[in-house]
Each structure stands twice: as structure tokens, then as C-alpha cells.
Amino acid sequence: MFGCSVILLYLAGARGVLLLGLGLVISALASYVLLNKQRQIIAGKLNGRLGKVGSRATSKVTEFRERLDDGTKSEDAEAGDAEDVLAGDTVAADGLPAAQDAEERVR
């Protein structure tokens, strides 16, 4: 395409850098128009392939996020239990907090 446009421009009288510059511009525009159908076919095939890969990747990402959420919930539960023990907010068998239960025993 570029060669044809350069030859036509040379015959029209263009020389030097002008010949090469115009040849590039004209061949790019001609390629864009003339190769549109082939570009759409290739784009459709690529989108199909990427869609298949994307769906697999999306399911893996979803699975990974679920595992992270499960881990976070278990860590939060463990941290909450540890904070309760450190704060002395344990619950005795009678349902009263352990601190109150100990005070009632003293009375």
C-alpha cells in the first residue's frame, strides 16, 4: 500500500521528505478504509478468546475474594475472642459477666 502511494506521488511530482510523509499518510488512510472488514473479523475473534479467558479469570477472582473474606471473618472472630478475654468480659455459666459473678461471690 505504501509503495503504491509513493509511486503515485512520485509521478505527481512529490520529492524528498514530502514524498515519504504524504506516502505514509495516504497509505495509512487507505489501509484504514480498505482493510476495515478484515480488522472487524480479527477483532471479533480476539474478543471471543478474551471473553473465554476473562470468564475463567473472573471465576478465579471471585473464588479468591471469597477465601479472603472467610479468612478475614475467622481472624476477626479470633481477635474478638482475644479482646473479650483481655478485657475480662468473659461470661460465667449463670449468664452474668465473670467480673460481676466474682463480686457476687464475695458478698
Side-chain angles (χ1 to χ4, degrees):
M1 193 74 62
F2 176 71
C4 292
S5 60
V6 167
I7 290 171
L8 289 175
L9 288 169
Y10 183 79
L11 294 175
R15 301 287 187 265
V17 177
L18 180 64
L19 173 69
L20 295 176
L22 286 175
L24 283 171
V25 170
I26 290 172
S27 67
L29 291 173
S31 295
Y32 183 76
V33 172
L34 297 174
L35 300 175
N36 189 31
K37 185 176 180 179
Q38 288 84 355
R39 186 173 46 255
Q40 287 179 346
I41 291 170
I42 295 296
K45 289 181 180 180
L46 285 175
N47 284 335
R49 285 184 183 179
L50 291 176
K52 291 177 186 175
V53 170
S55 66
R56 280 188 249 149
T58 302
S59 66
K60 288 184 180 183
V61 167
T62 303
E63 178 186 341
F64 182 68
R65 283 186 181 161
E66 288 174 356
R67 289 192 337 224
L68 279 177
D69 289 341
D70 291 343
T72 302
K73 288 176 186 174
S74 66
E75 287 177 1
D76 289 345
E78 290 173 5
D81 292 344
E83 288 176 4
D84 290 344
V85 169
L86 291 175
D89 293 338
T90 56
V91 176
D94 58 0
L96 293 173
Q100 288 180 356
D101 189 37
E103 289 175 9
E104 288 179 7
R105 286 184 198 156
V106 173
R107 292 183 197 168

